[in-house]
Amino acid sequence: MIEYPDWVNVVALARETLQLVLVREYRHGRREVVTGLVSGTVEPSDAAGETDPAESAARRELCEETGYSAGELKRLLVSYPNPANQNNLVISYLALDVVLGGDRLLDASEDIEVVLAELPEVMLRLRSGELRMQAMHVAALWSACAHIIGSDNLTAAAVALREKLVAALGVT
């Protein structure tokens, strides 16, 4: 068994445009630059304070990797990265109201490019196989789309995004 701390990832959508905030970074296992969600490890320091450690980690990773900060985070999904030989969880969040304004704090070994993209286009590219991402990120994205499509409590901009997702994905 491999023991890891829990992981987080964030489906972050910019407040004004609802563009998806993605990161591109080199991944040794594939030996290529891969597009993905903001993600990282729940660290011991995330347990300080009154908030959930996973939520604290999601907020910290979002700011460190992208310079964006989130208001409310909605927990979307808790899943097992690989229960055959790993003991950890991955907790996925949706942030519909992220704003740019913080300082990025990359580790010395990190070289991360921030990319904004339209969520419906990303989902179509994933579905067609044109875009490949880590499986846990794909699960979080589909969960975010399901949440947006099924929610009755959305801003006007998010309602417009829902209509684009429904049209792009052929949801009836």
Side-chain angles (χ1 to χ4, degrees):
M1 181 173 75
I2 302 170
E3 295 188 14
Y4 286 119
D6 290 343
W7 298 335
V8 295
N9 59 45
V10 184
V11 178
L13 299 170
R15 179 179 287 165
E16 298 300 323
T17 64
L18 290 182
Q19 287 183 296
L20 180 61
V21 180
L22 297 169
V23 294
R24 291 182 40 81
E25 59 187 314
Y26 182 79
R27 293 303 192 184
H28 298 288
R30 291 299 311 159
R31 294 188 176 132
E32 64 183 85
V33 174
V34 176
T35 301
L37 299 177
V38 167
S39 58
T41 301
V42 179
E43 298 176 358
S45 61
D46 295 317
E50 297 179 22
T51 61
D52 172 45
E55 181 178 325
S56 293
R59 289 179 185 285
R60 177 182 47 74
E61 289 290 347
L62 180 63
C63 187
E64 285 177 0
E65 291 184 6
T66 68
Y68 281 86
S69 61
E72 183 180 355
L73 290 178
K74 164 110 178 103
R75 186 180 280 208
L76 288 173
L77 178 70
V78 178
S79 57
Y80 304 116
N82 184 359
N85 62 8
Q86 291 176 219
N87 69 332
N88 64 325
L89 299 172
V90 62
I91 302 101
S92 303
Y93 290 91
L94 172 64
L96 290 171
D97 60 349
V98 302
V99 293
L100 186 58
D103 291 329
R104 293 174 71 196
L105 300 169
L106 300 178
D107 294 337
S109 63
E110 290 180 312
D111 182 14
I112 298 174
E113 175 188 5
V114 178
V115 178
L116 297 178
E118 299 298 328
L119 180 58
E121 292 174 19
V122 168
M123 300 312 293
L124 289 173
R125 291 179 61 215
L126 283 169
R127 189 169 71 182
S128 74
E130 177 189 342
L131 176 64
R132 291 189 182 138
M133 287 182 169
Q134 184 193 78
M136 292 173 289
H137 294 191
V138 174
L141 284 165
W142 282 108
S143 294
C145 289
H147 174 78
I148 292 166
I149 290 169
S151 181
D152 291 330
N153 187 21
L154 297 174
T155 65
V159 169
L161 176 59
R162 175 175 57 203
E163 291 169 3
K164 290 177 186 176
L165 284 169
V166 167
L169 301 175
V171 177
T172 57

